[in-house]
Amino acid sequence: MNTAKPQGWTTEDARLDTSWIQRLSSAEVAGFDRALAHAKACGKSWLAMTAADFPLDDAARTALQRAFATTQGRWGMCLLKGLPVDRWSEEDTKLAYWGMGLHVGVARTQNPASQYMNDVRDEGAAYKAANGRSRGYNTKAGLDFHMDSADVVALLCRRTAKTGGESLVASTIAVAAELARRRPDLLEVLKQPYYHHYQGSQDPEQPPYYACPIIGSDPEHFTMRVNRKNIVAAERDFPELPRVTPQQWEALDLLEEIMADPRWCFRMQLEQGDVQLVNNYVIVHSRTPFEDFEEPDRKRHLLRLWLAVPGSQPLPADWAEYFIDPRPGSVRGGLRGSQSTDEFAAYEQRQAAALGMAWRPWAPVRRREAAVAA
């Protein structure tokens, strides 16, 4: 089997071959500890930092790069285990996590406030809010299957829930193959444009919605992006948009049925110190509802980075309206929000140069341009 590109896999495949799970050795953990101590002594702001300010030795750097490389290969995901967050403070954990990101990618902003690291924990928010601005990561609800808005989403588990909060993942390559076996006509429907709600996370220059097919048109590089709640919200809030057709809803229904099927949906419980890495073009993810502990620092807490990475695949031209730059290995994706700064743009440009990635100043891609290759 060619392992250079992601391949489809079933739940049974992921159980039998656990090469996608990697555990840090004590020597590798020591390398992260030393880098953290150095970064704390430097005292720089996150956006001013470079990889040299979080200096990893060969062992730690190789472990980190190997984990991220795994997301671009056969599995499309990796579970890296063993970061010592049990003895790192919350502040130190965030600094170390940011420092790790400097070695492997360019962080993307994630919400209306243009934040580039998010706390995934229950803050009493409502999922699927009527105003179209639901924030699933700030609730304790179970989540729909979805992809995030970057090449790789990295979730570091700092604290686990009292009960629940299982992570669910599925290979969209395998899911699409099963859908094609059952209903090849609906596979073609998923290649049509679907309109999505930005939930207020767009730049002020952008409209509050965007068009993106669920399955990409590139025959060599499979891509999928699905987020049903944002399609539902766009249909509800923007009557000027084309209506989702009955056949498009039927295709979404069948897609969700297959993604939730235990034959394709793999369940895992993230443990303290785990980092789950997911390639957002070939892995769909979700989460079960959870119950928290009462003590504040025992409550479920994950840290989320969205990263553009050097080894990423090309994206279809008709995904450019959302991802901005479809070129392989480019700085792309994220939700720009309304508070992005010149300091962040300088970080992006410097980080892209350090990693040999393509970068260009941000500008929205208008809908009429989205079908034209960059």
Side-chain angles (χ1 to χ4, degrees):
M1 178 181 291
N2 175 20
T3 58
K5 292 197 299 186
Q7 306 289 324
W9 51 263
T10 66
T11 297
E12 188 66 10
D13 293 332
R15 286 184 180 137
L16 293 175
D17 179 354
T18 58
S19 58
W20 56 276
I21 302 175
Q22 299 169 15
R23 182 174 290 279
L24 294 169
S25 69
S26 57
E28 291 161 351
V29 170
F32 290 111
D33 275 327
R34 288 190 293 270
L36 173 59
H38 187 278
K40 290 173 68 175
C42 288
K44 289 186 177 181
S45 69
W46 287 7
L47 293 182
M49 288 175 63
T50 69
D53 298 312
F54 192 81
L56 293 175
D57 59 23
D58 288 345
R61 184 173 58 254
T62 298
L64 188 62
Q65 292 174 342
R66 181 175 59 242
F68 273 82
T70 301
T71 69
Q72 306 305 301
R74 187 263 189 271
W75 292 103
M77 65 178 182
C78 181
L79 184 65
L80 182 64
K81 302 180 73 69
L83 284 175
V85 299
D86 57 326
R87 54 181 173 78
W88 287 348
S89 68
E90 180 174 343
E91 182 180 350
D92 286 354
T93 300
K94 290 180 175 180
L95 177 59
Y97 201 36
W98 180 257
M100 293 175 212
L102 294 172
H103 288 268
V104 290
V106 182
R108 315 311 300 133
T109 47
Q110 304 181 28
N111 56 19
S114 306
Q115 294 174 314
Y116 35 85
M117 183 186 291
N118 271 177
D119 294 291
V120 179
R121 55 186 166 195
D122 179 34
E123 295 179 356
Y127 189 45
K128 301 182 182 179
N131 64 4
R133 297 197 177 193
S134 62
R135 295 282 171 256
Y137 61 87
N138 289 149
T139 76
K140 61 177 66 174
L143 306 182
D144 291 345
F145 284 101
H146 64 281
M147 276 89 158
D148 288 338
S149 304
D151 297 332
V152 173
V153 55
L155 285 171
L156 167 58
C157 181
R158 181 173 172 267
R159 299 286 186 269
T160 59
K162 183 178 181 180
T163 60
E166 274 190 299
S167 179
L168 313 178
V169 292
S171 163
T172 53
I173 298 174
V175 166
E178 175 63 13
L179 189 144
R181 186 188 68 81
R182 298 188 198 181
R183 291 288 303 274
D185 57 318
L186 294 184
L187 187 73
E188 295 306 308
V189 170
L190 292 171
K191 297 178 183 178
Q192 299 171 358
Y194 282 76
Y195 285 86
H196 299 70
H197 203 303
Y198 263 120
Q199 297 190 99
S201 293
Q202 76 277 11
D203 183 273
E205 294 184 36
Q206 295 174 294
Y209 50 78
Y210 63 92
C212 186
I214 289 173
I215 292 182
S217 56
D218 189 328
E220 294 186 26
H221 300 275
F222 180 88
T223 50
M224 182 185 284
R225 172 170 172 72
V226 62
N227 195 328
R228 183 173 184 141
K229 72 177 177 61
N230 289 352
I231 296 171
V232 171
E235 177 96 346
R236 179 193 65 220
D237 292 348
F238 306 120
E240 68 272 23
L241 294 178
R243 300 293 85 183
V244 181
T245 68
Q247 198 175 30
Q248 286 179 314
W249 286 126
E250 185 182 12
L252 269 178
D253 288 343
L254 181 55
L255 181 65
E256 291 195 327
E257 176 187 325
I258 298 170
M259 290 188 298
D261 189 311
R263 289 173 291 177
W264 288 275
C265 175
F266 185 86
R267 305 170 74 101
M268 69 179 90
Q269 185 68 63
L270 298 185
E271 299 177 335
Q272 191 176 45
D274 285 355
V275 183
Q276 182 190 67
L277 305 172
V278 167
N279 179 331
N280 280 302
Y281 311 127
V282 297
I283 302 292
V284 66
H285 63 278
S286 180
R287 184 194 72 205
T288 65
F290 64 88
E291 179 185 355
D292 252 335
F293 291 98
E294 292 297 324
E295 302 90 335
D297 198 45
R298 293 187 69 195
K299 290 182 181 295
R300 185 179 189 270
H301 184 202
L302 283 71
L303 299 175
R304 187 176 76 179
L305 284 175
W306 287 354
L307 294 162
V309 298
S312 65
Q313 67 187 62
L315 298 180
D318 54 3
W319 283 29
E321 181 182 348
Y322 186 68
F323 283 94
I324 307 299
D325 192 342
R327 293 176 295 171
S330 64
V331 177
R332 63 191 183 190
L335 294 166
R336 184 168 169 84
S338 59
Q339 298 180 43
S340 194
T341 63
D342 290 341
E343 184 183 16
F344 185 78
Y347 150 80
E348 285 184 311
Q349 186 174 12
R350 183 179 64 249
Q351 186 70 359
L355 294 171
M357 298 177 66
W359 177 87
R360 56 192 176 202
W362 185 86
V365 175
R366 304 303 178 190
R367 186 160 299 104
R368 64 178 179 273
E369 300 168 349
V372 180

